[in-house]
Amino acid sequence: MSDDDAETRSARSPGAEATAGPTWRPVSRANTYELVIDAIEEQIVAGSLTVGYPLPAERDLASKLGVSRASVREALRVLESLGVVRSSGGSGRGAGTFIAAMPSAALTRFLRLHVALTNFSLSDVTETRIQLERSSAVLAAARAGEDALAAINAQLAMMDTPGISLEVFNDADTAFHVAIAQAAGNQLFSDLTGAIRTSLRTSIFAAFNRIEDQQGLMSELQAQHRAIMAAIVAGDTEEAARLTEEHIRFAASELPGLSDD
Amino acid sequence: MSDDDAETRSARSPGAEATAGPTWRPVSRANTYELVIDAIEEQIVAGSLTVGYPLPAERDLASKLGVSRASVREALRVLESLGVVRSSGGSGRGAGTFIAAMPSAALTRFLRLHVALTNFSLSDVTETRIQLERSSAVLAAARAGEDALAAINAQLAMMDTPGISLEVFNDADTAFHVAIAQAAGNQLFSDLTGAIRTSLRTSIFAAFNRIEDQQGLMSELQAQHRAIMAAIVAGDTEEAARLTEEHIRFAASELPGLSDD
DNA sequence: CTCAGATTAATGGTCTGACCTCATAAAGGC
DNA sequence: GCCTTTATGAGGTCAGACCATTAATCTGAG
């Protein structure tokens, strides 16, 4: 069953609460697959299903819930696309559907689609990225450990490879920023940072191919990367944040079509 | 490491790899429904499908793509759960599947599930919220218009209702913060802010019901709301940001179980 | 001619049952 | 014992049927 709250019934004074929209919520005749998702989600929220735990076989689950296998599959495909579940065929160990935790791909697709639909503008996304990465830089400067710093340095080194291709540079660039977020120790920062960068991947390539001095821009970006890294290593939180914001704004302004001001 | 992302896998530069682990990724034999999603996404990214446009009927699409209707449906359910598509039965005008743009519900479910799976910790989520809302407060203080301010005030007034229930207060509280994000003019801020609050709704209730002086806490929160609003109206960006961060940290620390420090 | 009511058609929603592929586990042959 | 073969069980896909809902169309009374 759905635990929908029926608080909309109490609105009796006309005009007073009509300010922020009616909020009718049309009773939600849930589709079967939604009910299946709810049933699974209930187990997850209750803690009965944790990462790595197997779900019943699709046929079992269908008969247990009293629905068809098709409906179960639609629910599982949704959960799979959300990065909550993972399915593999075969038999025995490792076969079946399991609770997983792989949110990055889901976030990436989500952002890519909604950016394409212009539901989120490029400047909205960039601004979000700036705020997240500013905070990542601060936290990384404050508490990054040896391993985390080494991971960031590895990406810096990668970007220094002579004659590097745009694809490899860009992927290392993304990995650099994600590594900083990871050094900050916030998984949501890290996944959002990666998702934003990756969802813009195609646009970034297109923009890059529209400019003349690609190598020059890459060098400039890399110089900024080094400055950011230096601030993080020095533990200078203010400077790391400032340089990060400057870096992202610079990149957005240099790449035509990536900022819509 | 779970750097998942089914991107264009055509670019393969020899050498220059092997730095950050193997990353073999077994060629990703895409499922049929993924191919259907790709086909639709292609149209969206190319701009052939924009918000409001209809998709072919499921049966048509299935035969056009040479797959079964079940696979088409699995793809559509995924896109629907992502808030990219909306389906309704019947015939004629308004019947069928259309491109939509309703990302909030998708974000909310995504966060709720991954928080439940402890993939994102509560402090990760709270920290993200702080950064987003700090920025929202700054932008709102800088550029909020009459209507936007009125929308925020409406929620403040709602929370002042005497003898208000916890549910109504909490929903107005959420709406208050979302209204500020909306006043900032960043849709992604706004949707993320709402999603984070809504995904924690159940936890917030549980935490609230565990404390003694509910009315006292509500009053204190409301006082902070008023202070934030005053700073926004005054155009004091620094103060608005500071108060917002303070407010969120205060709430998280007061509600037992909502911060995991 | 007009309009209410019945009919029809198009669409998503659901179910059933079948068949395929694949990876493991079990049985069998050397 | 080790290797090969078979059986089993899981997801992946498909075809087709039927249901529910809704707009468009037709029909007939007034």
Side-chain angles (χ1 to χ4, degrees):
Chain A
M1 287 301 182
S2 56
D3 58 352
D4 284 354
D5 58 309
E7 67 94 355
T8 51
R9 302 275 178 258
S10 57
R12 191 167 315 137
S13 45
E17 12 273 333
T19 329
T23 320
W24 268 130
R25 255 197 313 188
V27 158
S28 150
R29 314 184 323 271
N31 297 331
T32 303
Y33 87 95
E34 290 278 0
L35 300 177
V36 176
I37 291 180
D38 288 349
I40 296 173
E41 180 170 343
E42 195 181 316
Q43 304 288 315
I44 291 177
V45 172
S48 314
L49 284 177
T50 56
V51 175
Y53 207 83
L55 266 65
E58 292 179 356
R59 293 167 175 84
D60 286 3
L61 197 49
S63 80
K64 277 194 182 90
L65 297 177
V67 301
S68 74
R69 195 183 156 207
S71 295
V72 168
R73 281 186 59 82
E74 289 180 11
L76 291 180
R77 291 296 76 75
V78 168
L79 292 175
E80 181 175 275
S81 82
L82 255 41
V84 166
V85 131
R86 163 184 60 82
S87 293
S88 6
S91 163
R93 181 196 72 86
T97 303
F98 297 83
I99 302 295
M102 320 172 71
S104 8
L107 267 183
T108 301
R109 170 145 66 193
F110 173 85
L111 279 176
R112 191 173 53 222
L113 281 166
H114 282 290
V115 166
L117 289 172
T118 66
N119 191 28
F120 301 137
S121 73
L122 288 170
S123 62
D124 284 2
V125 174
T126 298
E127 198 62 36
T128 303
R129 195 187 148 204
I130 289 170
Q131 299 310 322
L132 294 175
E133 295 207 28
R134 269 187 67 100
S135 186
S136 289
V138 168
L139 292 172
R143 55 156 106 137
E146 292 290 328
D147 294 353
L149 293 178
I152 304 175
N153 265 323
Q155 300 306 327
L156 274 177
M158 172 76 81
M159 285 185 279
D160 272 335
T161 309
I164 194 175
S165 77
L166 179 55
E167 280 79 8
V168 176
F169 181 88
N170 181 69
D171 289 352
D173 193 345
T174 297
F176 169 78
H177 289 279
V178 171
I180 292 177
Q182 228 134 26
N186 186 317
Q187 193 61 40
L188 186 49
F189 281 0
S190 162
D191 283 340
L192 276 171
T193 298
I196 289 175
R197 281 282 310 210
T198 308
S199 67
L200 297 180
R201 197 172 189 268
T202 307
S203 310
I204 290 174
F205 286 161
F208 238 103
N209 282 323
R210 234 177 278 124
I211 68 175
E212 292 182 11
D213 188 9
Q214 294 190 4
Q215 290 298 327
L217 180 53
M218 284 197 240
S219 297
E220 175 62 25
L221 292 174
Q222 177 70 334
Q224 295 177 2
H225 289 156
R226 295 206 168 282
I228 292 171
M229 184 59 178
I232 290 176
V233 170
D236 189 339
T237 59
E238 283 289 331
E239 183 73 353
R242 192 183 65 74
L243 289 174
T244 297
E245 173 162 1
E246 203 171 273
H247 168 61
I248 298 174
R249 291 202 192 280
F250 171 79
S253 68
E254 285 295 306
L255 291 174
L258 260 195
S259 63
D260 43 10
D261 324 300
Chain B
M1 298 302 284
S2 65
D3 180 17
D4 267 273
D5 179 49
E7 279 285 324
T8 56
R9 58 193 64 271
S10 52
R12 184 140 231 77
S13 340
E17 256 115 356
T19 319
T23 320
W24 270 128
R25 251 191 323 186
V27 162
S28 148
R29 320 174 312 270
N31 296 331
T32 303
Y33 88 94
E34 289 278 0
L35 300 177
V36 176
I37 292 180
D38 288 348
I40 296 173
E41 181 170 342
E42 195 181 317
Q43 305 287 317
I44 292 177
V45 171
S48 315
L49 284 176
T50 56
V51 176
Y53 267 61
L55 266 66
E58 292 180 356
R59 294 167 177 82
D60 287 2
L61 196 50
S63 82
K64 278 195 183 90
L65 297 178
V67 300
S68 75
R69 197 181 154 207
S71 295
V72 168
R73 280 186 61 81
E74 289 180 12
L76 291 181
R77 291 296 75 77
V78 168
L79 292 175
E80 181 176 274
S81 82
L82 255 41
V84 166
V85 131
R86 162 184 62 82
S87 293
S88 13
S91 161
R93 177 198 74 86
T97 303
F98 297 84
I99 302 296
M102 320 172 68
S104 356
L107 268 182
T108 301
R109 171 145 64 193
F110 173 85
L111 280 176
R112 190 173 55 222
L113 282 166
H114 282 290
V115 167
L117 289 171
T118 66
N119 190 28
F120 300 136
S121 74
L122 287 171
S123 61
D124 284 1
V125 175
T126 298
E127 198 62 37
T128 303
R129 195 186 148 205
I130 289 171
Q131 298 310 322
L132 294 176
E133 296 207 28
R134 269 187 66 101
S135 186
S136 290
V138 168
L139 292 172
R143 57 157 106 136
E146 293 288 329
D147 294 353
L149 292 178
I152 305 175
N153 264 324
Q155 300 307 326
L156 274 177
M158 173 74 81
M159 285 185 279
D160 271 337
T161 309
I164 194 175
S165 77
L166 178 55
E167 280 79 9
V168 177
F169 181 87
N170 181 70
D171 289 352
D173 193 346
T174 297
F176 169 78
H177 289 280
V178 171
I180 293 177
Q182 227 133 29
N186 186 317
Q187 193 62 41
L188 186 49
F189 281 1
S190 163
D191 284 339
L192 275 171
T193 298
I196 289 175
R197 283 281 309 209
T198 308
S199 67
L200 297 180
R201 196 171 191 268
T202 307
S203 310
I204 290 174
F205 286 161
F208 238 102
N209 281 325
R210 234 178 277 124
I211 69 175
E212 292 182 10
D213 188 9
Q214 295 190 3
Q215 290 297 329
L217 179 52
M218 285 197 238
S219 298
E220 174 62 25
L221 292 175
Q222 177 69 335
Q224 296 176 1
H225 290 157
R226 294 206 169 283
I228 292 171
M229 184 58 178
I232 290 176
V233 170
D236 189 340
T237 59
E238 284 289 331
E239 185 73 353
R242 193 184 65 75
L243 290 173
T244 297
E245 173 161 2
E246 204 170 274
H247 169 61
I248 298 174
R249 291 203 192 281
F250 170 79
S253 68
E254 285 295 304
L255 292 173
L258 260 196
S259 63
D260 43 10
D261 328 300

